[in-house]
Amino acid sequence: MIETSTETLTVVVEREVPYPAEKIWRALTQPHLIEEWLMKNDFRPDRGHRFNLTADWGAVDCQVQAVEPNKSLCYKWDTKDLKSVVTWTLTPTGAGTRLRMEQAGFRPDQQPYYQGATVGWPRFLSALEQVLDRLD
């Protein structure tokens, strides 16, 4: 008997950053800032808004699922073969904010996408931190 797993994989990256949630929120929701650390986009932090993230390798079709200003942001992240959900959570700490990014929905047969996200998201978050360092 062959069993197929319906369990999905998730990539989680967490960092504590020395900035208030409001500053991080700006970098997560303002298109010109998103472009600096992630990709070109037509993002708006409105529930239901459909937007695209574009790079030289292609595009990601997205749709905002939930918005709680300065606290959490969730959107669908769909490519031709990958249907996933990205959730950002901002939690104030004594030294700044705990920034948590979770991308859920990688099927077991999508190891290349999963591995790409495992390598890519820490890079994107490092670029995000560089944007935050420059932001007033």
Side-chain angles (χ1 to χ4, degrees):
M1 180 168 142
I2 298 174
E3 286 186 33
T4 54
S5 173
T6 58
E7 187 175 318
T8 60
L9 303 170
T10 300
V11 173
V12 175
V13 181
E14 286 189 22
R15 297 191 178 172
E16 185 160 340
V17 293
Y19 302 108
E22 295 79 11
K23 184 174 187 174
I24 300 164
W25 185 256
R26 285 176 36 213
L28 292 177
T29 60
Q30 294 183 2
H32 69 285
L33 296 176
I34 297 167
E35 183 174 347
E36 287 187 45
W37 64 269
L38 186 60
M39 290 180 239
K40 291 180 183 176
N41 65 92
D42 57 344
F43 180 82
R44 250 189 7 248
D46 298 326
R47 190 173 187 279
H49 175 66
R50 293 182 182 278
F51 65 100
N52 291 299
L53 296 168
T54 56
D56 17 340
W57 53 263
V60 181
D61 296 321
C62 301
Q63 183 177 21
V64 177
Q65 301 296 294
V67 178
E68 194 173 350
N70 304 316
K71 293 183 181 179
S72 66
L73 173 65
C74 178
Y75 46 84
K76 288 183 184 177
W77 174 287
D78 296 342
T79 64
K80 186 177 88 173
D81 302 318
L82 173 66
K83 308 287 186 221
S84 62
V85 175
V86 173
T87 303
W88 296 92
T89 307
L90 307 175
T91 307
T93 65
T97 304
R98 173 147 306 276
L99 173 62
R100 183 179 197 273
M101 186 293 312
E102 174 182 312
Q103 185 174 15
F106 297 92
R107 294 187 322 259
D109 65 335
Q110 295 179 312
Q111 282 300 314
Y113 288 112
Y114 177 73
Q115 293 302 325
T118 300
V119 171
W121 279 114
R123 290 180 184 162
F124 286 134
L125 264 67
S126 292
L128 171 62
E129 287 185 71
Q130 291 174 4
V131 169
L132 291 169
D133 288 343
R134 292 191 310 270
L135 223 72
D136 289 331

